[in-house]
Amino acid sequence: MASSKGTKSKSKSGFSVTTLVTAGLVALAAAYFAYRGRQHFRPPVLSPLKAPKLTDLAEFDAAYKDQMLWGSYRSGLYFGMRTRTPKALLSGLLWFDPDDPNTLNEMRARHEAKQGDGLTTYGWKRHDGRTYGTQELVDGEYNITLSMLKSFGPESGPGGDWSVRLQLARVPGIPSRRRRISVVMYLGDEDAPRQPWQVLPDGEVADLRSGPATLVSGASSALAGRGGGRWALHALETTSASVSSSRSRGCRVDYLGMGMEDKGYLLKVKELMLSTMWERLERQPSSNRFRLYLPNGATTSADLALFQVTCVLPSAVDFAFTSSGAVESGGWGERLGSLLGPGLDEALAAKQADFDERFERIFGAGMRRQRQPGASDAGASSSSSSSLPEGTLEVSRAALSNLLGSVGYFYGSSLVRTGGPDSEPQPYWPAPLFTAVPSRSFFPRGFLWDEGFHQLLVQKWDPQLSRDVIAHWLDLMNAQGWIPREQILGEEARTRVPAEFVVQNPSHANPPSLFLPIAKMASQLVAAAAATADTRGADGEELARVSAFLRRAWPRLEAWYSWFNVTQAGPAASSFRWHGRDPSAVGELNPKTLTSGLDDYPRSSHPDDSERHLDLRCWMALASQAMYDIGSSLGLSPPVVERYRAAASLLSDLGALRRLHLDEAAGRFADWGTHTEDVQLATRVITVPGPDGQLQPQSVTQRVVTGSPPRPQFVPQYGYVSLFPLIMKLLPAGGDGGDAGSGSGGADLTLQQLALLQDPSLLWSPYGLRSLATSASLYKKRNTADDPPYWRGQIWINMNYLVLRALSYYAAAGGSGGDGEVARVAAAAHDELRLRLLKTLVGNYRRNGYLYEQYDDESGRGISSHPFTGWTALVTLIAAQEY
Ligand SMILES: *[C@@H]1O[C@H](CO)[C@@H](O)[C@H](O)[C@H]1NC(C)=O
Ligand SMILES: *[C@@H]1O[C@H](CO)[C@@H](O)[C@H](O)[C@H]1NC(C)=O
């Protein structure tokens, strides 16, 4: 394009205006067609499904979005607030010892939640998912109690105001070297600020004790709307009067305000902070004491500001973020009175009481409920004492709170492999994801199949919040009906994922576990339709929202269902197969099935197209029934609904299930495939060209067949997969009304499966159900030298929960009123398994301060990543017997 200057002179020298206009139009048209072309040629795999978005539903209106704008949505940090906007205004917390050279030498400042930091414990004790949370962080000698509260006063602008209280103390009983602590609260804007930031607008702060001090103010696009996006951050020291009066000085404040040349700085706040403190130290070589302070300076173009508050222990500091409202100095008056100091005490106490009352209302009765004598007495293995382990209430609250408190907001594009294995990954469309995460330290991002379990708990607590999360997930569906299984959106998420896991494969599935909470919603509608109850009032409104949600979800669920039905179909009629196992993965003892969610759980030893995967078939049975329930309760036309009824009855037909998956000789359900038990990893030495071109010996470990060659057969590895017919309630409940399919009403088969379930030599351990039988040939076997066992014996809570859910169903469903043999056995097994799990989970939490990813089946110890408060948080539903 010519510059305007050039245009003018050419115009004078005879260039007509028409020529210019025409040239402009041509350029415009070219740009338009290029744009159209891009739209047109964007392959379906990278295009969103053409259907109205769930996140646009009326219930997620402006008022809802305003209430949810701010939250502790930076899942991967010990603490951070951000806005639910593509470009966030965000805050974060760091802490360190300002007097310890190791803070610099070992970069010992806490920011990102990391297992390697070795905190004694940390996590939310209470968090309501919307407005309030309180977290305890115990870091060696430091004990930090952090409370967060959002409030919406008459003067608040968009997103409301929020407060953070930090109570800084020593852990009693530990001889302490540390006298002081520095906490750093920072704010950063991912977008260009709307107005220049003013760092310390009222001048430097000598003392935080005399009254609230305004640390920084600015304006942000994230808060645009009323008040022009203006905001400010304030602080007040609230150390108790008795402690405070004995000291000459209060907490000191140091600061840094800087302009980010690159928004990537936000990912390096810790490094940035330490390096500026080091520079300040270097400038004062005369000082003989080691002290780390920010340099106290700010540029006029700041969009990142750090405030270091250094206190002698014990102390307390409150921060308040205000949106809009008074900007002039001293104009905050009463508003800050309720956000900081004594005003905040009351609000926090009220919120804590609300939380406890609501928790009791939702989960209390279920936690105390005991089976009627008679039903549980009948079980041979029933425990003598069925009272809950001490601390169950505390752990259940913490589990729920951590699941809610680690819900995050992410924005960005997944990388997707659309061509062959060597093709360049392509970006998915940029989109938001609002989701819970499995683990703040290890997996601070969204995982498709984990989310189905997370939402079972969230929907009991806050059904609308849960629908919001599910809406975000379903809106990520592409035009083919696929949803990427691991969501690594935005730089903050991407920096924490090894490169090989970043790229998603659009032909790979993941269990459609979102159908678990979705089926729950459908059953609400079915129950409401069956009851003649009055559907006006609050319940009626909630049902209307569920109904609107499912109606909007329907085209997406159809596309998702159909994607599975078509792309994951198995070789035999009504069989299914997890596609994507790699037959050439000869370095693995048993080629992994990452798609199934069960990673290294043993499948057939030689992957090929003949495989039939039992778990996937049972997931499809669940999905079919849910689709039928949704379709019929929404009153969709019979031909539409009929397909799912037919699918549900085909997949729950006992005859077909037995033919495809029951190893009659062993009496166990299993996968089918090309398999031999006689495999092992063997190390051989081969020669390969070295860097200098010379051939060199190198040892490689490969799977070798040591005995009978692979042949088509049932895969004789009894474990979680074998339980799926029970888990998905596909076995007859017995009693007089039991489904036929085998001679005796089918109850014998169910009883036989329940007996296997409780066999201690198989899965039934003192601590919960292990993933693979001790008698299985791959029990606790490594898959490669670097791959320790993962789903080969360890106890996982999501699967244990599903088994409890099924047992509870059989306990109630067998015969009339649950008094048949199946019901009695199932009830006893349920009660015993529940108690064992609670003892394991509660005991570990109380001893070690965490919930874990897995539990060891021999010692009951928590193992692998922690805190793992994704599906392990189902402990709350287990305690409350909510299935
Ligand atoms: C940490 O402090 C809180 C109160 O602020 C207290 O309830 C808790 O017991 C303390 N924890 C430890 C390990 O000192
Ligand atoms: C699933 O696929 C099978 C086989 O192609 C087809 O017969 C059936 O109608 C499909 N089910 C649904 C509900 O679309």
Side-chain angles (χ1 to χ4, degrees), residues 67-146:
Q67 210 206 25
M68 301 301 289
L69 184 65
W70 279 105
S72 51
Y73 303 142
R74 299 183 74 194
S75 316
L77 302 189
Y78 289 115
F79 178 72
M81 301 282 285
R82 67 162 284 165
T83 53
R84 292 205 325 172
T85 48
K87 288 184 175 176
L89 182 61
L90 51 78
S91 81
L93 172 75
L94 300 106
W95 72 88
F96 54 89
D97 183 339
D99 308 319
D100 182 356
N102 284 330
T103 301
L104 267 190
N105 300 343
E106 299 167 10
M107 307 250 299
R108 255 185 83 124
R110 311 302 192 195
H111 181 224
E112 281 182 8
K114 283 190 175 148
Q115 211 164 295
D117 288 348
L119 265 59
T120 310
T121 181
Y122 65 95
W124 297 98
K125 298 282 172 191
R126 294 181 175 80
H127 197 301
D128 68 6
R130 294 200 189 211
T131 60
Y132 160 75
T134 173
Q135 186 174 204
E136 203 174 291
L137 304 132
V138 181
D139 183 8
E141 299 127 80
Y142 289 141
N143 177 5
I144 303 176
T145 305
L146 179 156

Side-chain angles (χ1 to χ4, degrees), residues 648-700:
S649 67
L650 182 65
L651 292 174
S652 60
D653 176 67
L654 203 55
L657 181 64
R658 294 180 81 129
R659 254 193 328 279
L660 291 168
H661 287 290
L662 184 63
D663 181 348
E664 298 275 356
R668 299 172 184 184
F669 284 100
D671 282 345
W672 172 273
T674 306
H675 182 77
T676 172
E677 284 287 283
D678 301 329
V679 287
Q680 62 190 43
L681 287 178
T683 303
R684 294 187 294 136
V685 176
I686 58 169
T687 50
V688 291
D692 53 0
Q694 299 283 338
L695 289 181
Q696 312 186 326
Q698 188 192 321
S699 63
V700 292

Side-chain angles (χ1 to χ4, degrees), residues 620-860:
M620 291 307 290
L622 169 80
S624 306
Q625 184 64 43
M627 289 301 285
Y628 172 69
D629 287 345
I630 297 167
S632 49
S633 59
L634 293 177
L636 301 182
S637 77
V640 170
V641 178
E642 185 52 30
R643 282 190 289 136
Y644 298 105
R645 198 200 54 75
S649 67
L650 182 65
L651 292 174
S652 60
D653 176 67
L654 203 55
L657 181 64
R658 294 180 81 129
R659 254 193 328 279
L660 291 168
H661 287 290
L662 184 63
D663 181 348
E664 298 275 356
R668 299 172 184 184
F669 284 100
D671 282 345
W672 172 273
T674 306
H675 182 77
T676 172
E677 284 287 283
D678 301 329
V679 287
Q680 62 190 43
L681 287 178
T683 303
R684 294 187 294 136
V685 176
I686 58 169
T687 50
V688 291
D692 53 0
Q694 299 283 338
L695 289 181
Q696 312 186 326
Q698 188 192 321
S699 63
V700 292
T701 303
Q702 284 192 347
R703 180 178 74 239
V704 292
V705 175
T706 55
S708 57
R711 63 175 175 83
Q713 60 174 301
F714 287 111
V715 179
Q717 301 275 342
Y718 185 77
Y720 284 165
V721 164
S722 321
L723 302 180
F724 264 80
L726 179 81
I727 282 176
M728 293 303 176
K729 309 173 190 172
L730 302 177
L731 302 179
D736 27 54
D739 193 329
S742 80
S744 54
D748 287 353
L749 178 64
T750 311
L751 288 169
Q752 182 193 21
Q753 297 306 310
L754 289 172
L756 287 173
L757 180 80
Q758 296 178 82
D759 182 339
S761 75
L762 300 175
L763 308 182
W764 191 256
S765 91
Y767 311 103
L769 286 167
R770 57 174 77 87
S771 39
L772 192 61
T774 56
S775 59
S777 59
L778 291 188
Y779 172 72
K780 296 260 174 99
K781 285 269 165 62
R782 285 181 164 264
N783 207 34
T784 70
D786 306 325
D787 254 342
Y790 199 47
W791 291 85
R792 294 187 178 173
Q794 290 90 334
I795 296 166
W796 291 82
I797 303 311
N798 61 332
M799 287 296 136
N800 274 277
Y801 174 78
L802 288 183
V803 171
L804 284 175
R805 170 178 170 269
L807 291 173
S808 159
Y809 161 83
Y810 284 107
S816 48
D819 56 359
E821 179 69 359
V822 168
R824 275 194 299 277
V825 175
H830 167 273
D831 294 353
E832 182 61 27
L833 178 57
R834 170 171 174 259
L835 211 54
R836 291 182 182 196
L837 287 165
L838 289 177
K839 281 185 185 151
T840 305
L841 290 156
V842 173
N844 268 281
Y845 182 89
R846 283 165 66 90
R847 275 193 307 278
N848 306 324
Y850 293 107
L851 292 174
Y852 289 80
E853 182 179 13
Q854 320 167 331
Y855 293 85
D856 181 57
D857 63 323
E858 289 168 272
S859 64

